Amino acid sequence: MAAQPLDIKYDEPEAKDVRSLQSGSILDYAAQHKGIDAEVAEFLAQSSNVEPRTIDEATNKRLRWLIHKRILLVMVVTYFAQTLDKGTINFASIMGILEDTNLKGQEYAWLTTCVYIAILAWEFPTNRLIQRLPIAKYLGFSVMAWGAVLACTATCKNFVGLIIVRTLLGIFECVCQPAFVFLSTMWYTRDEQALVIGSFYSMNGFQQCVGGLLAYGIAHIKDAAIKNWQVLFTLYGCVTFVWGLFILYWMPDSPMHAKCFSLEDRLLMAERVRKNETGIQNKTFKMYQVVEAILDPAVWAVTMISFTNALPTGGLGAFSNLIIKAFGYTVLQTYLLAIAQGVIIMVFLFSSAGLSRRYGQRLVFAFIYTLPNVAGTIVFLAVPTTPHTKVGLLLAFYCMQGFGAVAVLNLAIMSGNVAGRTKQVIASSLVFIAWAVGNAIGPQVFRDNDGPRYVKAFVVHIVVYGIQMVTIVLLRLYLMRRNALKRRAQAITPGETSNEDTGENLTHKHAFDDLTDKENPDFRYVY
């Protein structure tokens, strides 16, 4: 079903909640809503300066574009920088870095694996810092730091030096995805989140297009003082550092601190996300929410999907250019074919996000978009490399790019189904730790003595895709059951779709109280 116009009214039970902010003190409101963040309560109490109203579609569209310019712009460009920077090692692999730094055996694979080991170690601390610190400031600092580290890669002469800078790169870059998922819950409705996540995640494909063109251009540089791969790292690192400075200047930390918007608009932006039931922020770490997250089967399901989807991604991301080159294409042709690969990734991402929003079926489309990966992998296992099959094998390789669509839908499932800020921290940490583990293992299944077709690696991929599809089916059934139990407890007739509470007349009076999805009777799961 197509998304319905946003219609937020202050009447019946919810009107009392809003008027309590207008007529009562902040302390009275905080006493009524014990879980609410003090800063959020103080901010919402200023609604006495704004006449309660219905947010019509025109106003909603205007607010959304204001948010796009300040928030989505930063997310998209930053994620593009991250994927471009992280993928630089892939282009450098056919630019001479292997020979210039004397890499042997599995050492090149470890340059990708060490990034994800660093992410694995730092993922929970960075999620906790995202909860505690001003998010825009923390993000800007991290971007500047990884830009500096990336530029330093050009000075490395051996495997040890590369391992050090790549590990630091993983530490500073791991802030991006959890921060962006948190920002999507803070600024966007659940109906919008899949497209928002898809927009920044699509930079995985766009960087393949731009990265291929830039690498193609840099490969033509002759007689430079430094090697072509050193030019690549230095250029990307310096540009990334400057972008980090811009983030500090441009991006607000939250609606409470977004002085670039009027007070009225900031309050309406907060009201826009009331129906999410996931709140805006809460800096208090609550142990009972930790326990609930650890015991929640839904959290472990999205964690498993994150792992099974990331393992093939990690290997294909590091070895894609080597695989394509082995088909018989030249180095320059390989650069250009990376552009087509990027376009296909973007098509997968935007189509999956758009279809899931239109039909309200995230997990159904996650299952469907796993199937091209399976088909492409089977072709790789069954068809030998010959001059007559190289085009078909290339197309099969392009089919394997559906993993990005599944990743977007899985993140949308996590952001839309986990409430309570501490529970979100734990769920996000587990999902991105699983993502890091998958990406770390991924390159290692591509054994040096199994190239250039890497048959054993693709057998592993088939197995994890099977696990992924089973998990998707079980998660959907589980979330449907949860919604049924909540409606039964409230004697409510089911809504029309999986992502709307149409016809249920929910009050959303606990939306900013930092209740978990299980605690909040008005919370509905999306699937």
Side-chain angles (χ1 to χ4, degrees), residues 144 295 315 369 416:
M144 292 167 61
L295 298 178
Y369 277 85

Side-chain angles (χ1 to χ4, degrees), residues 164-290:
I164 292 171
V165 294
R166 297 287 292 173
T167 301
L168 290 174
L169 195 67
I171 290 173
F172 292 123
E173 283 192 351
C174 75
V175 64
C176 276
Q177 292 193 74
F180 294 169
V181 172
F182 179 35
L183 286 168
S184 72
T185 64
M186 180 188 289
W187 293 94
Y188 290 96
T189 66
R190 287 203 289 187
D191 190 43
E192 297 163 347
Q193 285 169 16
L195 276 175
V196 168
I197 294 172
S199 294
F200 72 76
Y201 222 91
S202 68
M203 294 300 102
N204 282 298
F206 189 59
Q207 76 86 13
Q208 285 279 52
C209 302
V210 176
L213 287 172
L214 289 175
Y216 182 81
I218 291 172
H220 283 80
I221 297 175
K222 305 295 183 183
D223 303 321
I226 57 177
K227 300 292 181 69
N228 289 343
W229 64 268
Q230 293 174 312
V231 173
L232 205 63
F233 283 112
T234 303
L235 176 63
Y236 290 178
C238 291
V239 172
T240 300
F241 184 88
V242 173
W243 177 250
L245 290 173
F246 179 78
I247 293 173
L248 295 177
Y249 161 74
W250 184 253
M251 185 181 182
D253 292 305
S254 67
M256 288 80 74
H257 297 286
K259 303 301 183 183
C260 51
F261 305 133
S262 68
L263 175 60
E264 178 178 351
D265 281 349
R266 284 186 283 142
L267 288 163
L268 290 174
M269 287 171 182
E271 201 61 45
R272 247 174 50 86
V273 299
R274 177 182 287 272
K275 288 173 68 174
N276 290 358
E277 297 289 348
T278 51
I280 298 175
Q281 74 171 29
N282 195 291
K283 297 182 179 181
T284 303
F285 195 76
K286 302 176 181 179
M287 284 305 301
Y288 84 92
Q289 292 192 14
V290 176

